[in-house]
Amino acid sequence: MKYKLLVCDFDGTLYTDDFKVTDETVEAVELFKAQGGKFVIATGRLYQAVKPFAELFKLTDEIITYQGSGVYDLKTDGLIYSQEIDRDLAASVYAYLYKKYSEITSPMLFYDDKCIVEEENEFNKYFASIVKVPLVCVHEKLDDYVIANNLNARKILSLTDNNYIREVIQDLQNKFGDKLNINQSSKGLLECVNSKASKGNAVKFIAEKYNIPREQICAIGDAENDNSMIQFAGLGVAMGNAMEETKKVADYVCDTNNNNGVAKVIKQLILQ
């Protein structure tokens, strides 16, 4: 088997649009693992929000979370790779979002495996219902909160009007792009992590741990936050439902998340 490590994004890749992991996908991953392959999920989600799906796939080793800014060991629930956003930088980003984009953004703080917001609203409550984690309301602006509590951010997420999200991302990249990795992970989701944090760097960390060369890695994703790992892997695959920016950097475009795209890659490309 040419590819020893298979790394898959979760939402929009392993997960269907109606919030399911199909039996076909689970079975295909089991086939890959039975042949000696190592399977890793790489997601922007919090650890607690993706761990149940790691258990569904019977994973026991590493899982990549927070867009690559945190790698956890599933055996111990311990954080074994970490990149954070410095407190003062995080405060500056939140202050900028509040000042310039308050009408079209709803900022969130990911810290200590918690999803922290100033106040609940219809947008962040819907987000929390999808990722199945409770919101922690602090009743103060997040720039003030991180300073007052001396917190670094694991990830800054902003629920953003999709009509303006590319404009906001470009603006943030112009202002903070030398210090942050800023991208769009899904419709209306703007995400910021440490400039050293990416799914590609997290995959590199795991590959080096197991002495797996790039040529033996396959990475599959659907959004621009997946681009770094798709470009790092020997075989980079974009889902049929992927963003055009992601399809452009991929070696191969497979079927969609709703039509067992990952399972087809495993059976038709990897196991063959």
Side-chain angles (χ1 to χ4, degrees), residues 165-227:
I165 192 168
R166 300 311 306 179
E167 174 187 331
V168 179
I169 287 174
Q170 186 61 60
D171 186 22
L172 290 178
Q173 287 174 338
N174 291 339
K175 189 170 182 62
F176 301 105
D178 59 329
K179 304 178 184 72
L180 294 174
N181 184 358
I182 305 163
N183 54 51
Q184 181 177 0
S185 61
S186 186
K187 184 177 180 179
L189 294 186
L190 181 160
E191 309 209 10
C192 307
V193 292
N194 184 298
S195 61
K196 296 179 181 178
S198 69
K199 291 186 179 182
N201 284 343
V203 172
K204 182 174 183 287
F205 168 78
I206 293 173
E208 290 177 348
K209 180 178 180 180
Y210 292 97
N211 295 313
I212 300 174
R214 294 174 65 175
E215 294 75 19
Q216 295 179 3
I217 302 171
C218 174
I220 309 176
D222 74 306
E224 66 179 4
N225 62 311
D226 299 313
N227 288 7

Side-chain angles (χ1 to χ4, degrees), residues 8-46:
C8 288
D9 170 54
F10 188 71
D11 293 282
T13 300
L14 294 168
Y15 218 30
T16 64
D17 291 347
D18 56 353
F19 313 124
K20 295 178 182 177
V21 176
T22 67
D23 292 341
E24 290 86 350
T25 298
V26 174
E27 290 166 4
V29 169
E30 283 299 312
L31 286 173
F32 172 72
K33 290 165 57 185
Q35 293 294 321
K38 182 173 182 59
F39 179 70
V40 173
I41 296 173
T43 179
R45 290 189 179 214
L46 293 79

Side-chain angles (χ1 to χ4, degrees), residues 22-258:
T22 67
D23 292 341
E24 290 86 350
T25 298
V26 174
E27 290 166 4
V29 169
E30 283 299 312
L31 286 173
F32 172 72
K33 290 165 57 185
Q35 293 294 321
K38 182 173 182 59
F39 179 70
V40 173
I41 296 173
T43 179
R45 290 189 179 214
L46 293 79
Y47 178 63
Q48 63 168 309
V50 74
K51 187 179 178 182
F53 299 101
E55 293 169 350
L56 174 66
F57 286 105
K58 300 177 183 177
L59 304 183
T60 58
D61 295 325
E62 299 81 15
I63 189 165
I64 298 170
T65 63
Y66 300 103
Q67 308 299 11
S69 62
V71 178
Y72 282 82
D73 183 334
L74 286 159
K75 295 188 188 74
T76 64
D77 294 327
L79 188 65
I80 59 173
Y81 174 88
S82 175
Q83 298 287 348
E84 297 180 336
I85 303 171
D86 175 80
R87 176 201 66 179
D88 293 337
L89 176 57
S92 296
V93 175
Y94 286 123
Y96 192 73
L97 289 171
Y98 284 130
K99 180 179 179 180
K100 191 168 182 179
Y101 297 110
S102 61
E103 294 185 1
I104 60 170
T105 64
S106 178
M108 307 172 79
L109 165 65
F110 284 27
Y111 169 79
D112 195 26
D113 214 35
K114 296 183 178 68
C115 189
I116 300 170
V117 297
E118 178 186 357
E119 303 287 353
E120 286 189 354
N121 58 45
E122 61 179 309
F123 305 108
N124 57 37
K125 285 194 291 186
Y126 177 68
F127 173 83
S129 71
I130 292 175
V131 299
K132 296 180 173 58
V133 294
L135 296 174
V136 177
C137 298
V138 295
H139 308 295
E140 62 179 312
K141 292 188 181 300
L142 296 180
D143 52 335
D144 295 330
Y145 180 77
V146 296
I147 293 294
N149 292 277
N150 194 29
L151 303 180
N152 294 337
R154 175 73 53 200
K155 184 175 76 169
I156 294 170
L157 184 144
S158 178
L159 307 175
T160 305
D161 186 326
N162 205 57
N163 294 316
Y164 301 97
I165 192 168
R166 300 311 306 179
E167 174 187 331
V168 179
I169 287 174
Q170 186 61 60
D171 186 22
L172 290 178
Q173 287 174 338
N174 291 339
K175 189 170 182 62
F176 301 105
D178 59 329
K179 304 178 184 72
L180 294 174
N181 184 358
I182 305 163
N183 54 51
Q184 181 177 0
S185 61
S186 186
K187 184 177 180 179
L189 294 186
L190 181 160
E191 309 209 10
C192 307
V193 292
N194 184 298
S195 61
K196 296 179 181 178
S198 69
K199 291 186 179 182
N201 284 343
V203 172
K204 182 174 183 287
F205 168 78
I206 293 173
E208 290 177 348
K209 180 178 180 180
Y210 292 97
N211 295 313
I212 300 174
R214 294 174 65 175
E215 294 75 19
Q216 295 179 3
I217 302 171
C218 174
I220 309 176
D222 74 306
E224 66 179 4
N225 62 311
D226 299 313
N227 288 7
S228 61
M229 71 175 187
I230 287 172
Q231 291 174 298
F232 177 77
L235 175 63
V237 179
M239 300 297 293
N241 51 286
M243 296 178 181
E244 288 305 314
E245 295 87 347
T246 300
K247 290 180 179 178
K248 288 177 183 177
V249 302
D251 302 305
Y252 179 81
V253 178
C254 68
D255 212 329
T256 68
N257 62 321
N258 293 327

